[in-house]
Amino acid sequence: MHASELDLRELLSFKPRGGAISFLGHRLYMTDMFSHGLQQMELYRRLGPEMAKSIIVRSGYTRGWLLAEQIKHKMPDVWKDARNGELGPLLCSMYGFGEVLSSQRRDGIKAKPLVETYFISLYEAERHLQLHGLSEESVCWEQIGFASGYVSNLEKRTVYFIEDECKAKGDSYCHLSGNYLEEWDDKITPYLPIYDGICNESVAAELQDVQCLGEALPQNIQDKINSSLQLNASEKGYPVSKSYAMCSLLEMAANIANVPTSVLITGESGVGKEKLVQFIHNQSPRADKPMVAINCGALNETLLENELFGHISGAFTGANTTKKGLIEASNGGTLFLDEVAELSSATQVKLLRVLQEKEIRKLGDTETVSVDLRIISATNKSLEEAVEKGEFRKDLYYRLKVIELSVPPLRERSEDILPLCRFYLMKFNRELGREHTGFNHKTADLLLQYPWPGNVRELVNTIERAVVLSSGPQIMPEDLPNEIRETLSIPLISRDIKALHRIEKDYILAVLKKLDNNKTSAAESLGISLPTLYRKLKEYSAL
């Protein structure tokens, strides 16, 4: 995950009935602008302006520094992008400080300042205007402390921010500048008593115990509901896709949607071929016309031909009325032929004529009807092999396969697994009236490691089952089917044959890893006694 992909809803975790809110696994609580303002007014009244400012700035510094530390450890991929300057302004917006108008990052030495950010209006400035009116000085003390602590942690050097323009003073924007302490000019002098010597080293020492406690908390980042669920994409016919393979496939599908070319979609059973067909249809100029689907393997030859081409009254016994076939019904739109490899030879000939002549003839009729439609077909079999065996017409094969799109199995696009799980969790929450907040981190690991032989279809069924069975706010491992819970990191057989004792060692260590080094559970799962397990681990020098 990169900084540009972050969303506040993705980082927050709620207990559905209230009582606890977490941000990156650390509990927080909500307050309102006026209560917070009254609290700070009390600080000013009792301690005096300078002491109150110092407390607010130092508190903000600690908060920003700790947030940076949390992201560094829990979201290392995001942290890699932090130095380009995108993450800091995004976090300020997420925390509710205010909307960033522009932010610029320099080296802080030759080109100063290190960070320069304009906010449309910061939280503290807006609060001051509402409670007290215009101010004679800048008021966003918590924000400059927060920015200082965050950037200091990022740079591993003490950085102080100042605010020289503030909306509370009547300025157009709130303008914050930050630089390394030793690189500041005289502008920093009035702020030094307020910062009161706070720095990287002092905060790290103060927060050492807090950080250790934080590491012991549940990592709720795995329990979040993914906000990047791309519901708009779902409405267009395809759910979440994060992997490069699927994003490339959808981009190609969107490009070919605007032309009426025939498309053949291949892929294993359950990968979502019909969803891709719907996506292409919805992106095409034919979106306002019907999309008609038929499973070619579900009907015998006679029934399928009747379904596709229709019949006139009297065409056969029992044909008392004229029936429009699916090909004619999809005129102007899209006809989807699923399991197209199951077409009989006779039906293949008639379908080829439709593709060549753009017309059909109902059963029993002597007249033809012109049709304008796009045919998209799908199969989980190899049509090339069927052609070689003489089971499928070569000319029809090439007519259907003008463009081929191959949907990769879920096991080859693991990046899509958790986004899909979260998408369908939300879907079934709505449909079944449940309030599950997400997946326990152990559950997420199991979902990621399972090979999904039934692909997305199996995943959807699994999530629906879990939503029905789960009694808590999170989906736990015990809510999953046995075949997923029993998934283990079993060593694969390579070209090199290993001795049996080596295989045993690798397997036992894999089981321990899967069970979070719980030796009692591992011994039970392996069917051996706990002393036997300890003896073997001693032999492996793994204790």
Side-chain angles (χ1 to χ4, degrees):
M1 181 182 291
H2 299 289
S4 59
E5 299 173 309
L6 286 178
D7 189 290
L8 176 62
R9 294 165 296 175
E10 188 167 315
L11 305 180
L12 284 174
S13 176
F14 299 86
K15 282 190 176 179
R17 299 189 183 279
I21 308 172
S22 297
F23 186 88
L24 279 178
H26 285 248
R27 187 165 176 177
L28 50 82
Y29 76 99
M30 295 176 64
T31 187
D32 64 273
M33 183 188 301
F34 296 106
S35 298
H36 195 229
L38 293 172
Q39 185 182 53
Q40 290 198 2
M41 284 172 58
E42 190 67 13
L43 284 176
Y44 275 73
R45 188 177 70 83
R46 290 182 176 272
L47 302 177
E50 297 307 309
M51 180 63 73
K53 291 175 188 176
S54 182
I55 290 173
I56 293 168
V57 168
R58 291 172 64 87
S59 174
Y61 189 106
T62 302
R63 189 180 182 191
W65 193 95
L66 185 58
L67 175 62
E69 200 69 14
Q70 292 167 359
I71 295 175
K72 185 190 307 181
H73 291 295
K74 295 191 176 184
M75 306 181 74
D77 290 339
V78 172
W79 188 248
K80 290 177 184 176
D81 294 339
R83 290 186 69 87
N84 65 17
E86 292 182 20
L87 183 58
L90 183 61
L91 291 171
C92 287
S93 295
M94 284 184 174
Y95 258 65
F97 281 114
E99 184 181 350
V100 176
L101 179 66
S102 68
S103 185
Q104 189 171 4
R105 190 175 181 83
R106 307 178 181 90
D107 66 11
I109 301 174
K110 294 182 179 179
K112 300 180 180 182
L114 175 68
V115 180
E116 184 175 20
T117 305
Y118 283 90
F119 291 87
I120 291 177
S121 179
L122 283 169
Y123 166 81
E124 293 167 281
E126 183 178 335
R127 184 189 63 202
H128 194 283
L129 287 171
Q130 292 193 21
L131 290 177
H132 310 291
L134 284 173
S135 171
E136 295 181 356
E137 62 176 2
S138 298
V139 301
C140 302
W141 300 106
E142 186 174 0
Q143 172 62 54
I144 66 171
F146 181 90
S148 300
Y150 169 81
V151 179
S152 293
N153 188 307
L154 176 63
E155 294 293 325
K156 299 179 182 178
R157 294 172 61 181
T158 298
V159 174
Y160 285 170
F161 275 73
I162 67 170
E163 183 185 25
D164 54 5
E165 294 180 64
C166 184
K167 199 78 176 278
K169 295 194 303 178
D171 296 321
S172 300
Y173 307 102
C174 292
H175 176 231
L176 272 64
S177 302
N179 211 350
Y180 302 116
L181 177 57
E182 60 273 19
E183 295 293 335
W184 263 114
D185 54 24
D186 292 342
K187 288 182 180 179
I188 196 64
T189 303
Y191 291 83
L192 292 178
I194 297 171
Y195 278 105
D196 192 25
I198 194 170
C199 62
N200 257 336
E201 294 74 19
S202 62
V203 174
E206 290 173 7
L207 296 182
Q208 184 175 5
D209 294 338
V210 176
Q211 288 178 259
C212 293
L213 178 61
E215 291 300 317
L217 293 173
Q219 192 174 353
N220 286 339
I221 193 63
Q222 293 292 349
D223 307 331
K224 66 194 178 181
I225 296 178
N226 193 323
S227 65
S228 304
L229 294 179
Q230 300 179 11
L231 290 176
N232 58 329
S234 175
E235 292 165 0
K236 294 176 181 177
Y238 217 87
V240 187
S241 298
K242 293 290 187 182
S243 64
Y244 175 79
M246 283 306 298
C247 288
S248 299
L249 182 68
L250 290 177
E251 183 178 356
M252 186 183 299
N255 287 336
I256 66 175
N258 293 322
V259 294
T261 307
S262 297
V263 180
L264 174 65
I265 299 176
T266 60
E268 296 178 5
S269 178
V271 292
K273 297 187 288 294
E274 186 166 356
K275 285 288 187 182
L276 185 58
V277 176
Q278 187 71 60
F279 176 82
I280 294 171
H281 175 76
N282 289 352
Q283 296 287 314
S284 74
R286 300 172 181 267
D288 59 340
K289 303 296 183 181
M291 191 197 96
V292 180
I294 186 169
N295 188 320
C296 301
L299 303 172
N300 63 38
E301 179 181 342
T302 303
L303 288 175
L304 179 61
E305 187 174 335
N306 188 26
E307 285 295 312
L308 286 173
F309 296 94
H311 61 260
I312 62 171
S313 178
F316 52 83
T317 303
N320 299 322
T321 59
T322 297
K323 174 186 174 182
K324 183 186 291 187
L326 295 182
I327 295 177
E328 189 176 358
S330 60
N331 189 27
T334 303
L335 176 66
F336 172 43
L337 301 174
D338 198 8
E339 295 189 30
V340 72
E342 305 300 326
L343 286 174
S344 67
S345 298
T347 308
Q348 289 179 37
V349 173
K350 293 184 178 182
L351 181 60
L352 181 62
R353 180 173 178 81
V354 174
L355 287 166
Q356 291 174 334
E357 306 298 333
K358 304 294 183 184
E359 61 183 25
I360 62 164
R361 180 181 296 158
K362 294 183 178 72
L363 295 177
D365 201 356
T366 58
E367 301 293 329
T368 60
V369 177
S370 297
V371 290
D372 170 29
L373 75 162
R374 178 185 206 162
I375 293 182
I376 302 179
S377 49
T379 179
N380 57 14
K381 297 181 178 179
S382 172
L383 282 187
E384 290 184 2
E385 291 182 7
V387 169
E388 291 175 2
K389 294 177 181 178
E391 298 172 353
F392 203 87
R393 293 182 63 94
K394 182 182 292 186
D395 46 4
L396 178 59
Y397 168 63
Y398 288 121
R399 284 280 188 176
L400 295 176
K401 186 197 169 185
V402 177
I403 295 175
E404 180 178 356
L405 298 178
S406 181
V407 184
L410 195 53
R411 63 182 174 275
E412 293 180 6
R413 46 186 177 107
S414 59
E415 305 97 316
D416 291 341
I417 292 174
L418 285 182
L420 281 168
C421 288
R422 292 171 181 137
F423 174 87
Y424 285 107
L425 176 66
M426 289 185 68
K427 177 178 183 292
F428 291 122
N429 269 344
R430 290 194 300 269
E431 292 179 0
L432 302 175
R434 299 302 177 95
E435 297 178 321
H436 302 299
T437 59
F439 299 94
N440 178 271
H441 68 280
K442 293 183 179 179
T443 309
D445 284 341
L446 288 172
L447 294 170
L448 285 171
Q449 294 185 33
Y450 184 63
W452 298 107
N455 291 295
V456 179
R457 184 181 295 124
E458 182 184 10
L459 181 146
V460 174
N461 293 339
T462 296
I463 300 305
E464 182 176 10
R465 176 188 188 275
V467 169
V468 171
L469 295 180
S470 180
S471 58
Q474 295 180 328
I475 303 297
M476 303 300 291
E478 54 266 28
D479 300 321
L480 302 178
N482 290 338
E483 59 268 24
I484 298 180
R485 293 205 308 270
E486 294 169 1
T487 302
L488 296 172
S489 303
I490 302 172
L492 300 175
I493 298 175
S494 64
R495 293 181 179 179
D496 300 325
I497 303 299
K498 294 182 179 180
L500 188 59
H501 72 277
R502 288 288 307 278
I503 296 174
E504 180 189 70
K505 171 185 174 181
D506 291 344
Y507 184 76
I508 289 175
L509 294 179
V511 171
L512 271 171
K513 182 178 179 181
K514 172 57 61 180
L515 298 176
D516 293 332
N517 206 37
N518 187 319
K519 296 179 177 60
T520 301
S521 298
E524 292 176 359
S525 300
L526 292 166
I528 60 177
S529 67
L530 190 58
T532 300
L533 177 61
Y534 272 99
R535 177 175 56 79
K536 290 183 178 293
L537 292 176
K538 187 174 182 181
E539 292 174 4
Y540 307 150
S541 300
L543 282 176

